[in-house]
Amino acid sequence: RSPFKSEASPYWTYTHALVKFAKEGASPAASRALAKAVKGNRHVPAFLLGEKTLPKERAEFIAMGEPSEAVAYASEFRFIWEKTPGALDWLREKTRAT
């Protein structure tokens, strides 16, 4: 059991979903993890997928569940999503179905 089960930050939820996907593929568990991540911050996928452009500078303050939090996460973790085979296609498919 993860000690961060109740953590809602994209740093935990989206990364947890990515790790599940990397280990298991598009499994039901990976999909549930992604759904939980999206529920916590629905703005992240657009930045990870390049549908919204990351600003050159981050916001001074980051608000949970808001675009500022999504920008912070995507700025640091998009390269990992890009390097994980099939991850962005899976993210696109799952977030368009919701």
Side-chain angles (χ1 to χ4, degrees):
R1 186 165 242 245
S2 169
F4 305 107
K5 197 121 180 114
S6 64
E7 177 64 53
S9 163
Y11 288 90
W12 295 112
T13 59
Y14 277 92
T15 303
H16 175 71
L18 179 60
V19 168
K20 283 274 193 201
F21 176 80
K23 288 182 175 181
E24 306 172 5
S27 70
S31 295
R32 283 191 302 274
L34 182 59
K36 179 180 177 182
V38 171
K39 186 175 180 182
N41 190 317
R42 63 184 173 82
H43 304 284
V44 172
F47 289 105
L48 289 176
L49 295 168
E51 295 169 358
K52 289 189 177 180
T53 304
L54 290 169
K56 292 188 188 318
E57 294 183 20
R58 287 199 225 167
E60 188 173 340
F61 298 101
I62 296 173
M64 287 186 68
E66 295 298 321
S68 59
E69 183 183 48
V71 166
Y73 176 78
S75 294
E76 293 181 44
F77 286 83
R78 185 164 68 178
F79 80 97
I80 297 172
W81 283 80
E82 290 170 347
K83 288 184 179 284
T84 303
L88 291 176
D89 290 335
W90 173 69
L91 176 65
R92 185 177 292 107
E93 177 185 322
K94 287 298 182 183
T95 57
R96 295 306 164 249
T98 58

